[in-house]
Amino acid sequence: MLENLAKLIGSTAVIIEGKLYESEPGNPAVAITFSEGTRLRTDYWRLIRNKKASISSFDHQQKYGLPSPIDAVDTLKRELQGKAVTGVRFDEETGDLQFELANDSEFQALNFTDYEVWEISFPDGTGEYSNYAL
């Protein structure tokens, strides 16, 4: 898996689909297809901007005192679409996938259960599930 993840460097996020299904109410799964053909689906995710947590799947449809609910998927699309991947890490302690982007952002596919909360498939036909990666 690590060799295939390294091949993502220089690719871009070309398709971001949201609301594939609701893993729980208000918490949308997203799928990202990268320009080199890798596809990632994740139920729980976070966007880091300028080294600070920005928005996550947990923020989706929350109001937090705002005039209207947050559309976290739309924010994610705007931040990731067409951005080059500059680094990729697999955290062996948590099972999180971390994608560093050219715009000083980082996308994290979070793993915190024994269930398949993210799935990645590579152009060579191989892939991995979050609960097996550890």
Side-chain angles (χ1 to χ4, degrees):
M1 179 174 79
L2 297 178
E3 287 180 26
N4 280 325
L5 286 174
K7 293 176 185 176
L8 282 167
I9 295 173
S11 69
T12 58
V14 292
I15 299 173
I16 301 167
E17 303 169 48
K19 302 175 186 166
L20 302 173
Y21 61 90
E22 300 266 337
S23 51
E24 49 186 62
N27 192 15
V30 296
I32 301 171
T33 302
F34 296 90
S35 59
E36 52 71 75
T38 294
R39 184 169 170 87
L40 170 69
R41 181 211 44 86
T42 183
D43 294 347
Y44 303 102
W45 49 268
R46 174 180 25 224
L47 181 66
I48 306 292
R49 281 190 261 179
N50 301 314
K51 310 279 187 227
K52 295 181 182 174
S54 170
I55 199 160
S56 74
S57 54
F58 299 103
D59 295 316
H60 189 66
Q61 297 302 308
Q62 298 295 324
K63 282 190 75 174
Y64 300 133
L66 300 169
S68 59
I70 294 169
D71 188 335
V73 174
D74 186 56
T75 301
L76 183 66
K77 286 179 185 179
R78 286 193 316 270
E79 287 293 318
L80 295 189
Q81 191 73 30
K83 302 300 187 293
V85 176
T86 58
V88 182
R89 291 186 314 276
F90 170 68
D91 188 316
E92 293 183 9
E93 286 186 23
T94 64
D96 295 350
L97 290 173
Q98 302 163 348
F99 303 85
E100 296 171 11
L101 304 162
N103 63 344
D104 201 26
S105 294
E106 183 176 316
F107 175 76
Q108 300 172 337
L110 305 174
N111 177 44
F112 51 88
T113 74
D114 285 336
Y115 298 97
E116 299 166 354
V117 293
W118 61 253
E119 172 186 2
I120 192 163
S121 57
F122 301 105
D124 67 2
T126 63
E128 195 68 68
Y129 293 96
S130 59
N131 59 328
Y132 295 120
L134 293 173

